[in-house]
Amino acid sequence: MLTGLPSRLGGSARCVVMGVVNVTPDSFSDGGRWFTPTEGIEHGLRLLDEGADLVDVGGESTRPGAERVPVEEERRRVLPVVRALSRAGAAVSVDTMRAQVAEEACEAGAVMVNDVSGGLADPGMLAWLAASGVPCVLMHWRGHSADMASRARYTDIVTEVRDELAARLTAARYAGVMTDRIVLDPGLGFAKGPEHNWALLAHLEVLIALGRPLLIGASRKAFLGRLLADAEGEARAVEDRDDATAATSALAAAVGAWGVRVHAVRPSSDAVRVAAAVGAAR
Ligand code: PMM
């Protein structure tokens, strides 16, 4: 059970589609394309038109190797976009690791906080989530993007990610966050190589067994580009990975994921509807 969100998102019978609005100059997937607030707003509105249930607005790139963005710059990027999309009637989540940005974004209308660090990056985040009662996504994370590649070491990826997510769940509860406000996410691509991402996708049921809704962010990530490499071994271009992304959405929805976070909304929106129809026919 997930509470605190508009009802269509909390108890949705089908997998929720979260559309990505990166207001950044350097995200790997769409960096620079919606960099001004006006472009971010227009893009968010397009994603809503395509059927996004939720739009996720972020102002700090987390691509491998990325440096942190100063808080003032992050605020400047995300707040106008969150405000405008919320006013337009969208359910908005804010993709931030900072409690201050989370708080201001929620004042501007955001209804959910997506913290890729699972509350680890900012010591004030879990306390703020507890006090505010705002629902959150806590993602599996082992450190900032600048050096996360060196942390991609596992002996049993699925068990370790499950246990580390369980630890974040415990920490959040200990800080006073209500269990029914928490969504978990395995953090595909964050301190993970392709083999780790595939193993996690193959065993989502282990993560779902933690008892919380699960969000999956496979969209356009490097492991898909690598899978679809051409005969010369050149990875498939980032903007040509949406069909593969939709396949991951169908698979995630079929095993019971709560949501998928994607750049191209329409293909995944169709995919989760197919998965729901198959599920309903069982
Ligand atoms: N991936 C990215 C950013 N934010 N949030 C969640 N919850 N899960 C993810 O997998 C995730 C995320 C990186 O992708 P992007 O730069 O294309 O947004």
Side-chain angles (χ1 to χ4, degrees), residues 76-100:
R76 191 190 68 72
R77 293 178 184 180
V78 301
L79 296 179
V81 181
V82 168
R83 189 169 295 111
L85 293 176
S86 303
R87 281 200 184 134
V92 177
S93 64
V94 59
D95 187 341
T96 186
M97 293 181 260
R98 291 182 167 117
Q100 182 192 340

Side-chain angles (χ1 to χ4, degrees), residues 60-239:
E60 180 170 29
S61 167
T62 46
R63 89 187 137 71
E67 295 295 336
R68 298 228 53 197
V69 169
V71 63
E72 281 312 312
E73 177 62 13
E74 190 185 351
R75 295 176 66 250
R76 191 190 68 72
R77 293 178 184 180
V78 301
L79 296 179
V81 181
V82 168
R83 189 169 295 111
L85 293 176
S86 303
R87 281 200 184 134
V92 177
S93 64
V94 59
D95 187 341
T96 186
M97 293 181 260
R98 291 182 167 117
Q100 182 192 340
V101 177
E103 178 168 2
E104 291 183 68
C106 290
E107 281 163 12
V111 296
M112 186 174 215
V113 173
N114 174 22
D115 180 353
V116 299
S117 80
L120 284 167
D122 181 340
M125 180 62 97
L126 293 180
W128 180 78
L129 287 168
S132 67
V134 172
C136 60
V137 178
L138 301 179
M139 199 191 80
H140 178 261
W141 187 84
R142 283 187 164 182
H144 286 290
S145 301
D147 55 1
M148 69 181 170
S150 65
R151 299 195 166 95
R153 300 196 194 291
Y154 304 86
T155 45
D156 178 348
I157 173 79
V158 178
T159 307
E160 286 168 64
V161 168
R162 182 199 62 195
D163 292 351
E164 289 170 35
L165 277 177
R168 297 319 301 151
L169 194 52
T170 303
R173 285 179 179 141
Y174 188 74
V177 181
M178 306 276 281
T179 305
D180 65 3
R181 306 268 149 142
I182 301 172
V183 172
L184 298 175
D185 182 327
L188 300 180
F190 285 78
K192 291 164 197 89
E195 71 282 19
H196 303 130
N197 298 323
W198 291 120
L200 287 164
L201 280 173
H203 295 288
L204 292 182
E205 73 288 349
V206 174
L207 307 179
I208 290 172
L210 288 169
R212 298 307 310 143
L214 197 69
L215 178 67
I216 301 298
S219 186
R220 297 185 180 174
K221 286 186 177 168
F223 73 110
L224 298 179
R226 188 101 50 103
L227 175 76
L228 304 171
D230 64 19
E232 278 75 49
E234 191 73 29
R236 175 74 66 82
V238 168
E239 60 281 4

